[in-house]
Amino acid sequence: MATRTYKTKTLLKRLDNYDQKYYDTICKPSNIGVGYAMRAYHALKVQNPPEWKIRSKAEEVAEELRIRGVKFTTHFLKLSN
């Protein structure tokens, strides 16, 4: 993702959205009790959890904001400036 082309205000909104998505992902209950397909899906999610993807994207945005010298903080991702 090329974060340099976005305005600072847009990056702050995007970081806030990532923070909320991260919270929703880690607090969502996982009801894995169905057949083979669900077990296979769960195994894929355990190998590469969605919260890792969200966190890595948020870290890219946070790094760009640090380069720009913008103050920010997130509640659930524990990223700050």
Side-chain angles (χ1 to χ4, degrees):
M1 176 173 72
T3 57
R4 291 199 177 266
T5 59
Y6 293 107
K7 294 180 181 178
T8 303
K9 187 175 179 180
T10 305
L11 290 176
L12 286 170
K13 286 181 184 177
R14 186 169 282 199
L15 188 63
D16 188 44
N17 287 341
Y18 285 143
D19 193 39
Q20 188 60 41
K21 283 182 183 178
Y22 186 79
Y23 172 75
D24 293 342
T25 304
I26 60 174
C27 292
K28 183 174 70 172
S30 60
N31 297 327
I32 308 299
V34 195
Y36 174 76
M38 220 38 213
R39 287 195 303 268
Y41 174 78
H42 179 65
L44 285 173
K45 290 298 178 188
V46 168
Q47 291 172 1
N48 193 9
E51 59 265 17
W52 288 2
K53 295 178 197 173
I54 295 169
R55 184 168 186 80
S56 65
K57 290 178 184 178
E59 286 173 348
E60 290 177 12
V61 173
E63 186 59 35
E64 179 61 30
L65 289 171
R66 283 187 195 107
I67 291 170
R68 294 182 186 190
V70 178
K71 296 283 184 188
F72 65 91
T73 185
T74 59
H75 298 286
F76 307 110
L77 287 168
K78 306 273 192 278
L79 299 173
S80 64
N81 196 347

